[in-house]
Amino acid sequence: MKNKKTLTFMNYAAILSIFFFSGGGTFMNAAVQTMIEAWPQLSVTSVRMVTSLPCLVSLPVAILTGRLAGKRISYRFCAILGTALMLVGGAAPYFFHRSWTLILVFRTLLGIGVGFTGMRNALILGSVPEDKKSAMIGYGSSAMNACAMLAGLVVGILAGISWKAPFLFNLLAAAALLLVTFYLKEPEKDHTAEINMAEGNETEIKETENSGATVKTAEKPGKNPEGWKILVYIVLQFVLTTALYPVLSGMSTYMAARNIGSSFTAGISTFVYGLFGVLINLILNRLIQTFRQYMLPVMCLCFSAGMALVLFVPALPAVLAGMALVLFVPALPAVLAGVALVLFVPALPAVLAGVALISSGFNTLMSLFQVYNGKVSTPAQVGLTSTIIIAVLNLGNFASVYYINACHMIFSRASDIESTYFGSMLLYAAVAVLALIVKPAPKDEYKRQ
């Protein structure tokens, strides 16, 4: 196989810029409560569609472009059109804000743009040299979380100005549009053909040496004994994303209901989520080597532990310290200090610690499913199955709106968001138990080193 053309720093930056805005449908999370308050005549579900609708729309677009990119349409076309739609559809609601229906139309355009960037992992497979592919996929995940981290802070600040100001954050997509327009390279034709054949035909490319020359032949793939695990990864990605998304979209509502903070502090929680998403991807390989077949259940339990912190331990350290002062130090100043600790110490630190664990668990699982999929899929499957796993992320985001309602009907806690957090905590714990029974990791993970 020929070596891929050398890529410059700007070429790599153009690839990573696609990841940077690939989560464009979720950037308004910290502003959801502000929008709910600004549109009291609308149902809460209707307002939450500002974040869930782009995720739904992007699903079929991502699957379609995953099959066509590099074959019927170029990767550059997908990247440029997708980024342009995210720029226009993301920022336009600030200028056309009098009709909620029109706002949702623009959010639909943004979702189509997000769908066109679903080919980003296939682009890396076709463009980046073999020894840099894993690193680039890791950097891409870090870029996506870094943007979520930035969006949390900036959107939270803008939401304090007005409910429509957060849409201006999407103007940053102009920088990504310039990068992909002028610096993104199309994969070489022979590599692109191999990727497309692998995605669209029942053949695989095999290379053999014949008299010193490399000969490529198309062969029928054999039966994949671990093929059933691909469906498990797709289903788990959908279910776990559905349970995760209310943590992001509902944090501003949850903090307001429990007097923990404002839209700005909700933005801080999104920042923490993105920060730990970046950090955890930097040590992904070491975590996989450490936990091996137990990686999936461990990360699910990490998520559940974070959810428990958010729900049950917001002010526990302060409460325990305050009660200790009141009970065991009978002096009046100590009693007053203990009462003050119980009543006034904020719950924010415990919530942010919980968000850090939640982010570490989910972001590890999101990358883990891609790693596992690459190990159990045949070359004829890996391109499309990777795109589907990305696509169901967006489907899970959309389904989370209805998941919130279902959890509140079942658990009936103080608010629908609190019911959802409780349900997500239990769901991730249940998946951890099931993973120990079903053993969905690739068979290599069960072999001792």
Side-chain angles (χ1 to χ4, degrees):
M1 182 180 292
K2 295 180 181 178
N3 292 326
K4 293 177 172 64
K5 294 180 180 179
T6 302
L7 298 179
T8 66
F9 172 81
M10 295 305 294
N11 298 141
Y12 286 117
I15 295 174
L16 291 179
S17 71
I18 303 174
F19 284 85
F20 200 73
F21 276 89
S22 60
T26 65
F27 291 163
M28 297 299 107
N29 288 330
V32 168
Q33 182 60 30
T34 303
M35 294 179 186
I36 291 173
E37 295 169 358
W39 292 83
Q41 69 273 31
L42 298 177
S43 68
V44 174
T45 300
S46 297
V47 177
R48 284 177 178 154
M49 287 187 73
V50 75
T51 56
S52 62
L53 183 60
C55 300
L56 176 67
V57 172
S58 66
L59 174 64
V61 179
I63 294 176
L64 181 64
T65 55
R67 294 187 64 87
L68 299 180
K71 185 176 182 181
R72 302 289 179 86
I73 54 179
S74 69
Y75 287 98
R76 293 190 73 253
F77 174 82
C78 292
I80 293 171
L81 178 60
T83 308
L85 288 174
M86 285 190 285
L87 173 61
V88 174
Y94 176 81
F95 304 98
F96 304 93
H97 58 270
R98 297 189 181 277
S99 168
W100 191 256
T101 300
L102 184 58
I103 289 174
L104 293 183
V105 169
F106 284 121
R107 299 296 290 176
T108 300
L109 288 179
L110 184 143
I112 294 173
V114 171
F116 269 98
T117 65
M119 49 75 212
R120 53 191 180 270
N121 281 330
L123 175 65
I124 289 178
L125 293 175
S127 301
V128 178
E130 188 69 32
D131 59 339
K132 296 182 179 180
K133 286 179 182 178
S134 297
M136 278 298 292
I137 290 176
Y139 296 154
S141 297
S142 293
M144 187 165 55
N145 282 287
C147 191
M149 180 172 60
L150 177 64
L153 283 179
V154 176
V155 169
I157 294 172
L158 293 175
I161 299 173
S162 74
W163 70 268
K164 61 179 181 176
F167 292 112
L168 292 176
F169 177 82
N170 294 288
L171 290 175
L172 292 177
L177 181 59
L178 291 174
L179 283 172
V180 297
T181 300
F182 294 106
Y183 294 104
L184 186 65
K185 282 189 176 182
E186 186 74 10
E188 298 176 23
K189 290 297 182 180
D190 56 342
H191 300 301
T192 303
E194 290 178 27
I195 294 171
N196 288 321
M197 182 173 290
E199 291 182 351
N201 299 316
E202 295 297 324
T203 56
E204 296 178 4
I205 297 295
K206 301 293 183 182
E207 294 188 358
T208 56
E209 295 290 334
N210 187 3
S211 301
T214 300
V215 179
K216 299 179 182 180
T217 58
E219 297 183 2
K220 290 283 184 180
K223 185 177 179 180
N224 182 6
E226 294 191 283
W228 63 273
K229 295 181 180 180
I230 300 172
L231 181 60
V232 173
Y233 304 149
I234 292 172
V235 172
L236 284 178
Q237 184 69 87
F238 168 71
V239 171
L240 297 181
T241 302
T242 301
L244 169 278
Y245 192 67
V247 178
L248 305 178
S249 64
M251 187 56 72
S252 57
T253 303
Y254 179 75
M255 286 186 169
R258 300 192 64 172
N259 296 316
I260 297 173
S262 62
S263 59
F264 176 72
T265 51
I268 293 177
S269 73
T270 306
F271 175 86
V272 171
Y273 179 89
L275 174 63
F276 277 82
V278 171
L279 296 177
I280 203 71
N281 273 292
L282 296 179
I283 59 171
L284 178 65
N285 286 338
R286 181 170 296 182
L287 289 173
I288 292 176
Q289 292 171 3
T290 300
F291 294 109
R292 298 186 64 78
Q293 71 267 32
Y294 301 112
M295 184 72 169
L296 198 159
V298 166
M299 290 301 112
C300 283
L301 292 176
C302 179
F303 183 101
S304 291
M307 213 67 265
L309 268 178
V310 172
L311 278 171
F312 303 122
V313 202
L316 184 59
V319 170
L320 293 178
M323 290 178 63
L325 284 173
V326 171
L327 294 176
F328 301 113
V329 185
L332 180 61
V335 172
L336 293 178
V339 172
L341 275 173
V342 173
L343 294 179
F344 303 117
V345 171
L348 185 60
V351 171
L352 294 182
V355 170
L357 289 175
I358 289 166
S359 174
S360 299
F362 179 78
N363 282 289
T364 302
L365 290 169
M366 184 171 63
S367 299
L368 185 69
F369 292 139
Q370 290 287 354
V371 173
Y372 282 1
N373 177 65
K375 291 183 177 181
V376 303
S377 294
T378 65
Q381 297 172 323
V382 68
L384 183 59
T385 54
S386 175
T387 301
I388 292 175
I389 291 174
I390 292 174
V392 297
L393 278 168
N394 298 318
L395 182 61
N397 289 346
F398 177 80
S400 66
V401 174
Y402 305 98
Y403 173 77
I404 292 172
N405 296 333
C407 284
H408 195 44
M409 290 177 61
I410 296 171
F411 300 111
S412 300
R413 296 179 70 87
S415 68
D416 57 350
I417 294 298
E418 188 172 338
S419 296
T420 306
Y421 287 4
F422 187 76
S424 296
M425 179 188 68
L426 296 180
L427 178 61
Y428 270 76
V431 170
V433 174
L434 288 174
L436 293 174
I437 299 172
V438 178
K439 298 182 178 180
K443 61 182 180 181
D444 292 345
E445 298 297 325
Y446 295 94
K447 297 178 180 178
R448 294 184 179 273
Q449 288 184 332

